[in-house]
Amino acid sequence: MKKTFTTCALALAALLTHNTNAQTLIWGAGSTDATIDSIGKFATAFNNTNAWQQVAVTPNALWTRELSGISHGAYATGIAPMSSPTASNGVALFDSDFMDNAGTAGAFGTGTSPAPHRGELHTPRIDLTGYTNTDISATFYLHYRKFNITELSLGFSSDDGATWTNFNIEQGIAVNSIFNTQLIAVNLTGVTAGIANLTQCKLRFVFDGNYYYAMVDDVSLISTPPPCIAPSAPTNTTDTLNTTVCSGSAATLSASGVGSLSWFTDSVGGTAIATDSVFTTGALTADTIFYVQDSTCAVSATRTAVMVMVNQMDSAYLFVPPAPADTLCITDSIVFNPTTTETITADSGLVGNTFYAYIAGDGSHSVVIVNTVVSNCLTSFITTVHSIVVESNCVVGLNKRTLANSVIAPNPNNGTFTITTPNVGVYTLTNELGQVINTFTNSTTITGLASGMYILNNASKATHQKIVVTQ
């Protein structure tokens, strides 16, 4: 099959400063294997075992190994030689000019291979085992002069040369123009996709046309990892971007990704605090943001922010239980601190040992958990109930201090989000220092906030909701 792609010339400095986490040399010039390095630099003679092979598609139309870096044709006088880093070790040259005229101006067609002609230069086998579905690029230095070139290409074969995928390496110069030596990078798009056996790969250079010449040198293959896939948000709660616990409790977070996962307290950099798809935090006493990263990503890759919101137990609503021997039934009264007497009411949607104690005035509620229910009364009312009740005052989703029915989307976010509130009224958005960022009624869209924690308050500030901005 055949594909053609236009490549761009890249400065050498740009390639040498590439991120080593993102690109890896896998074959050719620069290899730690002396034989492979020599092949990539054209430092060994052609047609030997484990060397480049000349293929004359047109009789006698051969790529040759040239030590001078210049064409020997009649029309190459005064042209500067190729200036690749290892040109003195040899470059690959297709000298169309010389093969047509044997170095004599005007003696067209008198050389060893009259133009137009086609010649190919093939590498020995390259073993790319382990690079299936990996993006691979070829880099090399290119120098040529154009008259009438039908094809100047780099080909890739994964089946020992039976079929080729060709990539155009022409640089769009005008007729009779010279493309002076530059480093070229060609993305060999899709050449390893779905191919399990990559033990018989080859590269080839092709010149097909009429005058003047083409030279290449310092050929390498580099691998580029697949695009970094950020791990998915935690799946431990119905709100997949964050979870809520009571003060002093731990949170268990989970995520999934392509590779192994690491957990951090920093959005970039820092040291991983855990390495697993499931991470259990220590006891938390304040809202905390954790970050999860996939091992297939570079160190600087975007991490997924996971917010753990910590609900504080509100001492204003601690349940004061009766004496241990007392019996407490539905419709009996209990006392809150400060002194507020309320009636216990059974919740028809719940069963077992759970009752709700409603707080007068705002319709929110705390949760009272008891040990035994007999004829709608509490028995065996032991002192441990008190600690249970205090913690129940911080049940996720039922905390009195949450601004109920308000929708913040998304949350966490990048500084732009929409707030939809259930009632018309005055609402304020403050930062962690209590400074007012925005005041509005009903619903609004916020943009441009910096990273940090923000609080949505109602007019009395009796209830609130937390918002996390990560950049």
Side-chain angles (χ1 to χ4, degrees):
M1 60 180 177
K2 181 177 181 179
K3 297 181 182 177
T4 58
F5 295 85
T6 299
T7 64
C8 61
L10 302 177
L12 174 60
L15 184 72
L16 295 181
T17 56
H18 71 264
N19 185 340
T20 56
N21 287 322
Q23 294 180 334
T24 303
L25 177 70
I26 56 177
W27 181 88
S31 172
T32 57
D33 184 306
T35 299
I36 293 175
D37 177 66
S38 177
I39 295 170
K41 293 177 179 178
F42 297 103
T44 55
F46 294 168
N47 294 343
N48 291 330
T49 301
N50 201 26
W52 292 85
Q53 302 295 309
Q54 300 164 309
V55 178
V57 180
T58 302
N60 300 318
L62 299 174
W63 285 77
T64 58
R65 178 171 168 260
E66 175 58 48
L67 297 178
S68 68
I70 60 172
S71 164
H72 299 284
Y75 301 98
T77 303
I79 296 177
M82 187 172 196
S83 57
S84 55
T86 66
S88 61
N89 291 336
V91 303
L93 165 66
F94 190 89
D95 201 346
S96 177
D97 182 345
F98 179 76
M99 285 187 286
D100 180 72
N101 60 46
T104 301
F108 301 112
T110 62
T112 58
S113 180
H117 36 209
R118 177 186 178 95
E120 301 178 0
L121 185 63
H122 297 199
T123 63
R125 287 177 178 173
I126 302 172
D127 188 348
L128 295 180
T129 299
Y131 291 95
T132 300
N133 298 324
T134 301
D135 288 339
I136 292 179
S137 295
T139 65
F140 54 92
Y141 285 86
L142 175 66
H143 171 62
Y144 72 101
R145 187 182 184 193
K146 175 182 178 178
F147 178 68
N148 183 8
I149 297 177
T150 302
E151 180 181 352
L152 184 60
S153 68
L154 170 68
F156 180 93
S157 173
S158 61
D159 54 12
D160 208 28
T163 60
W164 295 90
T165 301
N166 297 318
F167 299 85
N168 179 32
I169 60 174
E170 260 253 58
Q171 301 300 306
I173 61 174
V175 171
N176 292 324
S177 295
I178 299 171
F179 182 80
N180 288 314
T181 309
Q182 290 191 47
L183 182 65
I184 300 298
V186 181
N187 185 2
L188 306 181
T189 307
V191 295
T192 67
I195 302 175
N197 182 5
L198 291 173
T199 61
Q200 299 184 40
C201 299
K202 287 186 176 182
L203 297 177
R204 74 174 180 185
F205 287 99
V206 174
F207 183 106
D208 190 340
N210 186 353
Y211 279 71
Y212 290 93
Y213 62 85
M215 300 182 202
V216 293
D217 195 14
D218 296 327
V219 183
S220 299
L221 288 177
I222 58 175
S223 69
T224 304
C228 176
I229 302 174
S232 61
T235 57
N236 58 304
T237 63
T238 54
D239 179 359
T240 59
L241 284 180
N242 50 64
T243 189
T244 307
V245 297
C246 293
S247 181
S249 299
T252 299
L253 310 175
S254 61
S256 60
V258 175
S260 59
L261 301 183
S262 298
W263 298 83
F264 298 81
T265 55
D266 304 295
S267 59
V268 294
T271 302
I273 57 175
T275 53
D276 201 347
S277 58
V278 178
F279 164 52
T280 300
T281 71
L284 301 175
T285 58
D287 296 341
T288 306
I289 302 176
F290 297 95
Y291 301 87
V292 60
Q293 179 177 307
D294 194 304
S295 64
T296 61
C297 301
V299 173
S300 59
T302 301
R303 295 170 179 171
T304 300
V306 184
M307 177 184 176
V308 180
M309 294 183 291
V310 177
N311 283 344
Q312 305 296 330
M313 290 178 286
D314 195 335
S315 60
Y317 296 101
L318 296 184
F319 173 55
V320 179
D326 289 354
T327 297
L328 189 62
C329 300
I330 294 177
T331 73
D332 282 355
S333 296
I334 58 175
V335 178
F336 288 83
N337 178 26
T339 303
T340 304
T341 301
E342 301 297 340
T343 300
I344 295 179
T345 305
D347 188 292
S348 60
L350 298 175
V351 294
N353 302 333
T354 304
F355 295 88
Y356 282 163
Y358 286 88
I359 308 303
D362 63 8
S364 59
H365 52 266
S366 294
V367 178
V368 178
I369 300 177
V370 300
N371 289 342
T372 308
V373 177
V374 178
S375 300
N376 289 329
C377 294
L378 314 187
T379 60
S380 301
F381 204 114
I382 60 177
T383 56
T384 56
V385 172
H386 182 254
S387 63
I388 296 173
V389 172
V390 171
E391 198 155 63
S392 297
N393 198 36
C394 188
V395 169
V396 174
L398 299 177
N399 190 308
K400 175 192 176 294
R401 295 179 61 82
T402 298
L403 194 58
N405 300 321
S406 295
V407 177
I408 299 169
N411 188 21
N413 56 72
N414 62 1
T416 298
F417 55 94
T418 299
I419 302 173
T420 304
T421 57
N423 301 307
V424 175
V426 178
Y427 296 86
T428 59
L429 184 68
T430 62
N431 60 20
E432 292 181 278
L433 301 178
Q435 299 167 325
V436 176
I437 304 299
N438 196 295
T439 301
F440 61 94
T441 58
N442 199 14
S443 302
T444 189
T445 296
I446 305 294
T447 60
L449 287 188
S451 298
M453 189 80 67
Y454 297 86
I455 309 297
L456 173 64
N457 299 285
N458 65 2
S460 66
K461 294 188 178 180
T463 57
H464 68 248
Q465 192 157 340
K466 300 163 188 175
I467 302 168
V468 175
V469 174
T470 61
Q471 298 291 354

